[in-house]
Amino acid sequence: MSEVITSHINTDFDGLAAMLAAHHLYPQAVMVLPGSPERSLHDFFLHSYSYVYPFKRLKDIDLAEIKRLIVVDTCQKSRIGPFAEVAARPEVEVVVYDHHPATNDDLEGVSLSEVAEVGAVVSLMTEKLREKGLIISADEATVMLIGLYEDTGSLTFQGTTGRDFMAAAWLLEQGGNLETVAEVINNPFDREHISLLNDLLSSQQTVYPRGQKVVLVEAGRDHYISDVAMVVHRLRDIERLEVVIALLRLGDKIYLIGRSRSSALDMGRLLTHFGGGGHHYAAAAVTRKLTLIQCRERLLELLEEEVVPPLIAADLMTSPVLTITPATSLTKAAEILTRYNINVLPVIDERSSRLTGIISRQVVEKALYHGLKELDVSEYMTTDYEPISPQADINQVKELIVGRNQRFLPVVNEDQAIIGAITRKDLLRALYDQEEQGESFEVGRDGPRKLRRKNVNGLMKESFPADLIAIFRQLGELADELGVNLFLVGGVVRDLMLRRPNLDIDIVVEGDGIALARAYSERYTGRCHCHEPFRTAVILTKEGHKLDIASTRMEYYDAPATLPKVEKSSLKVDLYRRDFTINTLVVSLNRKSYGEMRDYFGAGRDIKERSVRVLHNLSFVEDPTRIFRAIRFEQKFDFSIGRQSLHLIHNAIKIGFVRRLSGFRILHELKLICAESGPLPIFARMSELKLWHEIFPELKKQVKERPRQARLMAAKEVVSWYEYLYLEEKLEVWRVYFLCFINGLNASQAHYCALRLGFNEDVGQRFVTLRRRGIEAAAELGRLCHEGKVYRNSEIYARLFDLPLEILLYIMAGHENQEVKKALSSYLTRLQFVEIEINGNDLIAAGLTPGSQFKRILGQVRDARLDGEVNNRQEELALVDRLTVEHRTSNAEHPTS
C-alpha cells in the first residue's frame, strides 16, 4: 500500500469528489479519510454509496509503508491528521491539489503542487481528467457535482469562476444527476438548525473596523451540531450581509465561521490567526485554547488590523496625463519623455480623443538607437493592452498590472477618453499602505495572499530520465556551495509544461556559469567546453548528457539584424532578452527551492492561451530571425501569434529588416524549420506573411505560390519515404526542400538563391552544376523509362551513381512519371548497394597489365551484375576471361602504330 489519497479532517463533498477524481489519476492508490467526515457526507454514504467506492479506514493502513501521499482540498499540515507525519518523511513523495490560498501551515517539500483559483477543487480535478481523456461513471459524476455545487453555493458564491461552470457542464455530460444533487444540497434544516439560526439572528452585533461593516453573531450549545456552516450561510443570505462572522460554542470547542463579499476583508487570512483557513470569501477555524469571550475580543482587534479600506482606480490614478498623437515622430516622443521625466506616453486619436495605444521610453530609445527616428510612434506603439474604468476596484487593477504584467494602466471614461493612469509604482504604494507588516505577498483575484510558487518536481521526475534528475541535484548542491542561483530555463521548461519530450537542456546561473561548469566537470569527471566572450559553457557528462550553461546576461545590438553583444545582468533582465514569453519560464535547481517554477512575464498564461508573444516592441527589429522562430513555434505547438506580435512582424517585414539578415543566419533558421516533422504549414505561413519575398527579393515575380507549395509537399513525401528506409547515408533535408523551392528557376536565379543563403562563389557554382546535372538526369530517365520501353538496371545506375542523395530525392519529388519514380526507388534501395566480388588483383592474375582498361572491365562486370548476367565470383571471373580475350583480339586486329 505505497500510495494513499487523502483530504482534510471533517472531509466535505468537495474533498470527497476530489479524492474520487485523484483515484482515476493514481489508480494504484487507496483512498483514506483522515478523520470523521461531515455529517451530511456521512449520511449520504450510509444511505446511498457506502459499498460503491473503495475507501479504506485509517486504522487499516500501515503509515510506514506509504511512499506517495496525494492530498486534495488542503495544503495545511494541521488539517490532515496523522498523514502530516507521513508527509514530513523525506522519502515520501507528496502531491497536492488545492484551491486555497497559501498559509504558514502549508506542507513543505511538496513534489507536485497544483493550486488553482477556482471555487471548488473538484473543478481543477475534472480538468486533469479531461486532459488525460479519462472516463468516469455517472455516479462519480453526480458525487463530483455535489462537491462542486456545495463549495460554490450552486455556482453563486463570489469565488466561483468560469472554470467551475466548465467543470459542471462536463460532469453533466458524464451523466451527473441534478435531482440527486438538489436532494443533497437542499437538505432542509432540522429543529436544531432552525433553533440555532434564530439564536444567531437575535444576537447580531454590528461593528465598523476601518469603515467596513461587519456583523458578528454568537450562540452556544453543550454538544456538537453538524453543518453549522450552512446555517451561517443561510443567515447571511436572509439578512443580505456583506460580511458576517459567527462565534459558536459547541461542546468544549469554539467554532469561528466567516463569510465575506467584501474585497476589503480576506476571511481566510483573518481566521488563520485562530489556526483555521479558507478562502477570501469563506473560512473557518476551531479552537480549544480560548473562551468565546476571548475569541470575540481577539477578533475585534484583528479586524482593525486586517480590514483594508476599499480602493478604486480613481483613488490610485495620476491625472491629468500627458498624451501624444499617432503621427508624432519617435524623435519628438523622446523629447517629451525626457523633458517631463516620464516613462510611458498614451497615444490618442486627435479627432475623437480616444486612446489608441501606448509607447514606452524603452521602445522609443531602442528605436532611435536603430536609426528609426523619423518614423511615427504608430509604427511601434503597443495596442495589446487593457484600459480600466475609474470605478474599477483594486483587485481589477492588480489583475491587469501584476497578473497580466501591464506596466501602465490607462484609466478611461465611457467614451474611451483617457482621464488618468495607474503605474506599478502607484499600485505598490497602495499595497504598501495596506500591508504595513512588510510581508511578501502575491496578488490574485481574491486579494493579497502569501506567495506560493508552483513546484514541478514531480513533473520533472515523470519527464526526465533518473540519471538526468541526479545530475540536476548534483548541480544544485554545487551551486549552493558556490553561492549562486541555478535555474533550468527556456524551451525545456516550456516543453515540460506542454508535456512534450525535450532533453535539450539549458541552464542559467545567476553568477559565474563558467566557474560552475568547470567545478562540475572536475568533481563528476565530465568534459567542459567554455566560451568566455558569451559567458557560456557546455558540459558533456559521463552519462552522455549535454548541458548548455550560461551566466545571466543582457544583450544589446549595434544595429538591426546583427548579432548581439553581451554584458552581465540579473535573472529577470536575462529572461527579458529572450525571444518569446513562452521561453521565459525557469525552474530552480538549488536544494531549498528545487523544482520551484518562476514566471516573470506571463509565460504560464500564454502557454495556457496557446499564444506566441514577444517581450518588447523592438524584438523583431533587433533580431529579425525571431520572425522565423515565431512562425515555427506557432505551427509546431498549434499556437497563435499574438495580435501585437503579428503587427510587429508585418512592420519589420515592411521596413526591410529581414533583407538585412546574413545568408548564414537565414539558412540556420531554414534548417531548423526543415528539421521539424511538419514544415509545410510553416512554409505556408511564411508565404502568407510574404516572408519568402524578403528572403529572395529579386524573385518576387518569378516564384509562383501554387506550384511551389505543390513541389514542397512532394518534397515532404519523398523525405518521409526515405527516412522510413532507415538507410545509413545521412540526408540533409533542407537541401531537398531548397531544391524544390527554387524549381523552375534558371541557372542565374538559382545561383543568386545559393549566394543569398551564404554559399561562397565556388560552393554556389558547384550547387548550380549539380542541380543542372540532376535536371538532365531526370530528362534522360524520362526518355529511358518511356512507358512500355524495357530498360536495364545498368542504364539507371549509369545516370545516377555520381549524384548526391538530395539531388536524387529532388528528382523523385519533381517527376510525374511513375516509371521514373520506380527507377529512382530501385536505385536508392537496391542498385546503389550492388557490389562485385572481384578486384584489380583478379585482373592481374588473369594476365592483364594495370591501366585504364581495369576501370572499363570492372565497370562492365558491375553492369553485368546489375543486369543479372552474372551472380557470383566464378561467373564474374568467367566474364573477365571473355572480356580479356576480346580485348586481346581487338588489339591484334588494330595494333597501335
Side-chain angles (χ1 to χ4, degrees):
M1 199 168 297
S2 61
E3 297 185 17
V4 166
I5 301 169
T6 192
S7 186
H8 52 80
I9 295 171
N10 294 327
T11 309
D12 56 10
F13 276 107
D14 191 31
L16 171 75
M19 290 177 69
L20 291 176
H23 191 255
H24 282 276
L25 299 175
Y26 302 91
Q28 303 303 317
V30 297
M31 297 183 287
V32 184
L33 297 175
S36 299
E38 288 186 352
R39 194 193 74 176
S40 58
L41 182 61
H42 178 273
D43 292 346
F44 174 81
F45 258 62
L46 185 65
H47 295 112
S48 304
Y49 296 101
S50 57
Y51 300 103
V52 175
Y53 302 117
F55 280 84
K56 296 284 186 179
R57 293 181 298 180
L58 184 59
K59 66 179 182 179
D60 296 330
I61 301 298
D62 185 351
L63 300 182
E65 292 183 359
I66 298 175
K67 301 301 180 187
R68 176 188 280 174
L69 182 67
I70 300 100
V71 181
V72 299
D73 203 26
T74 186
C75 193
Q76 293 181 246
K77 292 176 284 190
S78 60
R79 299 192 68 197
I80 58 174
F83 290 115
E85 294 181 6
V86 175
R89 300 205 308 261
E91 73 275 10
V92 175
E93 179 186 354
V94 180
V95 178
V96 171
Y97 296 97
D98 195 13
H99 69 133
H100 296 93
T103 71
N104 292 328
D105 185 42
D106 283 357
L107 293 164
E108 299 171 354
V110 175
S111 301
L112 174 62
S113 178
E114 291 274 2
V115 181
E117 290 185 11
V118 289
V121 73
V122 71
S123 298
L124 168 64
M125 303 307 292
T126 57
E127 291 174 355
K128 300 300 175 186
L129 295 176
R130 294 170 69 181
E131 286 174 8
K132 294 185 177 295
L134 298 174
I135 303 300
I136 61 174
S137 68
D139 286 342
E140 289 172 319
T142 300
V143 175
M144 292 181 195
L145 268 175
I146 294 172
L148 176 56
Y149 271 58
E150 181 188 59
D151 239 35
T152 63
S154 299
L155 302 172
T156 64
F157 286 174
Q158 183 179 353
T160 306
T161 69
R163 294 167 69 178
D164 298 300
F165 279 88
M166 294 291 289
W170 184 75
L171 290 170
L172 285 173
E173 292 173 358
Q174 307 310 304
N177 190 322
L178 285 178
E179 291 185 6
T180 303
V181 173
E183 289 175 6
V184 176
I185 296 297
N186 299 325
N187 191 22
F189 286 172
D190 57 23
R191 290 184 178 179
E192 198 160 35
H193 289 130
I194 295 172
S195 172
L196 180 63
L197 178 60
N198 286 329
D199 288 353
L200 294 176
L201 285 167
S202 62
S203 69
Q204 295 182 59
Q205 174 190 357
T206 303
V207 295
Y208 292 89
R210 304 180 77 173
Q212 172 66 53
K213 180 180 178 180
V214 178
V215 174
L216 304 180
V217 294
E218 298 179 8
R221 296 291 187 272
D222 293 332
H223 57 278
Y224 175 73
I225 302 175
S226 65
D227 298 330
V228 290
M230 294 308 298
V231 177
V232 176
H233 195 84
R234 183 70 62 84
L235 181 147
R236 188 198 70 171
D237 291 344
I238 292 172
E239 296 293 295
R240 297 185 178 181
L241 302 175
E242 186 177 32
V243 180
V244 60
I245 303 174
L247 295 96
L248 304 171
R249 179 184 54 79
L250 302 178
D252 60 349
K253 298 178 183 177
I254 305 299
Y255 292 78
L256 294 92
I257 301 171
R259 296 290 185 268
S260 172
R261 290 191 177 105
S262 171
S263 61
L265 179 59
D266 184 337
M267 194 61 69
R269 181 180 165 93
L270 173 68
L271 295 189
T272 56
H273 294 283
F274 295 92
H279 300 279
H280 180 92
Y281 51 87
V286 183
T287 181
R288 279 195 178 100
K289 298 178 181 178
L290 302 175
T291 65
L292 190 145
I293 295 174
Q294 288 173 320
C295 284
R296 184 198 312 132
E297 295 303 315
R298 178 61 178 147
L299 184 62
L300 292 172
E301 293 174 3
L302 290 169
L303 284 170
E304 291 294 337
E305 298 175 8
E306 294 293 340
V307 170
V308 179
L311 292 174
I312 59 175
D315 298 322
L316 301 178
M317 72 181 188
T318 300
S319 182
V321 181
L322 195 63
T323 61
I324 56 176
T325 66
T328 305
S329 70
L330 289 166
T331 301
K332 184 63 177 176
E335 292 175 2
I336 296 172
L337 289 166
T338 302
R339 181 184 308 156
Y340 295 99
N341 194 28
I342 54 179
N343 293 315
V344 178
L345 279 170
V347 184
I348 63 168
D349 182 80
E350 205 165 14
R351 297 177 184 175
S352 64
S353 297
R354 290 170 63 91
L355 183 67
T356 60
I358 58 178
I359 192 161
S360 69
R361 175 190 293 273
Q362 187 178 26
V363 170
V364 170
E365 289 178 349
K366 284 191 174 184
L368 295 182
Y369 184 77
H370 292 302
L372 308 175
K373 60 183 180 180
E374 297 305 322
L375 292 180
D376 295 342
V377 295
S378 60
E379 296 291 347
Y380 293 107
M381 69 182 185
T382 293
T383 57
D384 194 6
Y385 62 88
E386 290 285 340
I388 201 167
S389 79
Q391 299 305 315
D393 65 37
I394 194 171
N395 284 326
Q396 293 171 274
V397 175
K398 294 169 187 172
E399 171 63 17
L400 290 172
I401 291 181
V402 180
R404 294 182 177 267
N405 199 35
Q406 190 169 317
R407 301 182 177 191
F408 181 87
L409 184 57
V411 183
V412 299
N413 61 18
E414 298 85 351
D415 298 322
Q416 294 300 301
I418 188 166
I419 59 173
I422 302 172
T423 65
R424 291 182 299 175
K425 188 181 294 184
D426 299 325
L427 177 60
L428 287 171
R429 186 181 298 113
L431 292 177
Y432 178 81
D433 292 338
Q434 291 180 348
E435 305 299 338
E436 294 179 358
Q437 300 302 317
E439 296 177 302
S440 175
F441 289 89
E442 180 185 58
V443 180
R445 290 178 186 165
D446 298 330
R449 62 175 187 270
K450 285 288 181 69
L451 180 65
R452 178 193 287 180
R453 289 196 174 105
K454 183 175 183 178
N455 194 296
V456 294
N457 180 24
L459 185 57
M460 291 169 68
K461 288 182 179 179
E462 294 176 11
S463 305
F464 299 127
D467 61 347
L468 186 55
I469 292 291
I471 291 170
F472 290 159
R473 291 288 191 179
Q474 292 166 352
L475 283 166
E477 292 172 3
L478 190 56
D480 289 340
E481 293 176 19
L482 297 175
V484 297
N485 294 321
L486 190 68
F487 302 93
L488 201 61
V489 66
V492 66
V493 185
R494 174 202 66 216
D495 289 350
L496 182 70
M497 301 311 296
L498 291 171
R499 274 48 171 195
R500 297 175 64 96
N502 187 348
L503 295 180
D504 186 5
I505 306 300
D506 288 314
I507 293 172
V508 67
V509 183
E510 261 192 320
D512 192 339
I514 290 178
L516 177 78
R518 285 173 174 158
Y520 180 88
S521 299
E522 291 173 6
R523 180 175 298 185
Y524 297 105
T525 62
R527 287 183 292 158
C528 174
H529 302 288
C530 302
H531 189 47
E532 295 282 355
F534 282 90
R535 305 172 58 82
T536 60
V538 176
I539 297 175
L540 301 174
T541 71
K542 61 184 179 182
E543 295 85 358
H545 294 289
K546 175 176 170 287
L547 314 175
D548 290 308
I549 310 291
S551 304
T552 52
R553 61 194 194 271
M554 65 179 294
E555 297 176 346
Y556 64 92
Y557 295 77
D558 285 333
T562 60
L563 290 172
K565 295 186 177 179
V566 175
E567 290 182 1
K568 184 178 179 181
S569 77
S570 66
L571 174 65
K572 193 168 184 181
V573 172
D574 177 274
L575 296 174
Y576 187 70
R577 71 176 174 80
R578 294 177 184 269
D579 49 10
F580 308 109
T581 59
I582 58 174
N583 291 331
T584 61
L585 288 171
V586 297
V587 175
S588 175
L589 298 181
N590 294 82
R591 278 178 294 190
K592 288 186 178 179
S593 54
Y594 183 85
E596 281 187 4
M597 178 175 289
R598 300 187 186 182
D599 182 359
Y600 294 105
F601 300 106
R605 182 187 70 246
D606 284 343
I607 288 174
K608 182 179 178 181
E609 294 177 358
R610 310 186 74 79
S611 183
V612 179
R613 302 180 196 274
V614 290
L615 280 87
H616 59 83
N617 286 5
L618 291 173
S619 183
F620 297 123
V621 173
E622 293 182 339
D623 186 0
T625 62
R626 290 172 177 168
I627 297 174
F628 297 86
R629 293 200 290 280
I631 297 170
R632 180 157 58 88
F633 290 151
E634 177 189 51
Q635 301 302 318
K636 178 178 181 177
F637 301 132
D638 193 23
F639 280 23
S640 297
I641 298 174
R643 183 180 63 182
Q644 175 71 7
S645 298
L646 190 59
H647 165 75
L648 295 172
I649 287 175
H650 285 299
N651 178 272
I653 291 174
K654 180 179 70 175
I655 295 176
F657 289 121
V658 175
R659 298 189 187 188
R660 302 188 194 181
L661 286 169
S662 69
F664 171 79
R665 298 188 70 196
I666 292 175
L667 180 58
H668 175 72
E669 295 299 329
L670 291 178
K671 285 181 178 180
L672 293 175
I673 291 171
C674 293
E676 297 289 351
S677 59
L680 296 184
I682 304 176
F683 293 147
R685 183 68 154 145
M686 290 171 66
S687 296
E688 180 184 333
L689 294 174
K690 296 182 171 54
L691 196 53
W692 291 116
H693 294 164
E694 295 302 303
I695 299 173
F696 305 110
E698 294 186 17
L699 301 180
K700 285 186 178 181
K701 296 181 180 179
Q702 289 86 345
V703 179
K704 305 299 182 183
E705 287 297 326
R706 288 187 179 178
R708 181 176 64 190
Q709 292 298 330
R711 191 58 57 90
L712 291 173
M713 187 175 296
K716 175 68 171 69
E717 292 174 358
V718 298
V719 166
S720 299
W721 171 80
Y722 181 81
E723 288 175 341
Y724 280 123
L725 296 177
Y726 297 103
L727 300 178
E728 291 184 5
E729 185 175 358
K730 183 180 179 181
L731 172 65
E732 295 269 9
V733 175
W734 71 270
R735 294 182 184 273
V736 181
Y737 284 113
F738 180 52
L739 285 162
C740 288
F741 176 83
I742 64 173
N743 185 67
L745 301 184
N746 60 38
S748 175
Q749 293 165 342
H751 184 248
Y752 156 75
C753 291
L755 296 182
R756 180 67 184 98
L757 293 186
F759 294 20
N760 62 38
E761 185 66 30
D762 291 341
V763 175
Q765 287 293 350
R766 183 171 181 272
F767 167 78
V768 171
T769 300
L770 285 172
R771 174 177 176 267
R772 175 181 54 76
R773 289 179 54 204
I775 293 171
E776 292 172 352
E780 291 178 15
L781 281 176
R783 289 190 293 270
L784 184 66
C785 300
H786 185 70
E787 189 172 344
K789 183 177 180 180
V790 178
Y791 56 86
R792 300 165 70 87
N793 288 337
S794 57
E795 294 178 290
I796 300 297
Y797 186 93
R799 287 160 177 80
L800 302 179
F801 79 96
D802 59 348
L803 292 175
L805 171 61
E806 292 78 15
I807 295 288
L808 298 176
L809 292 179
Y810 161 60
I811 298 172
M812 181 179 282
H815 224 293
E816 300 297 331
N817 189 322
Q818 292 302 313
E819 290 298 317
V820 171
K821 291 180 181 289
K822 288 180 181 178
L824 283 161
S825 174
S826 177
Y827 173 79
L828 288 169
T829 58
R830 185 171 57 86
L831 300 182
Q832 68 169 325
F833 303 112
V834 171
E835 295 181 354
I836 59 177
E837 299 181 43
I838 64 172
N839 55 36
N841 293 327
D842 295 301
L843 300 188
I844 294 172
L848 292 173
T849 303
S852 60
Q853 72 269 24
F854 271 36
K855 181 178 181 181
R856 177 177 55 79
I857 292 174
L858 291 175
Q860 289 176 303
V861 174
R862 182 204 60 225
D863 289 345
R865 189 80 183 232
L866 285 165
D867 296 333
E869 296 172 357
V870 297
N871 297 293
N872 52 51
R873 177 178 170 80
Q874 287 70 29
E875 292 179 0
E876 289 177 0
L877 290 172
L879 177 58
V880 169
D881 289 340
R882 291 198 302 273
L883 292 173
T884 300
V885 170
E886 292 174 5
H887 175 70
R888 288 172 177 167
T889 302
S890 175
N891 286 342
E893 293 175 353
H894 306 286
T896 58
S897 57

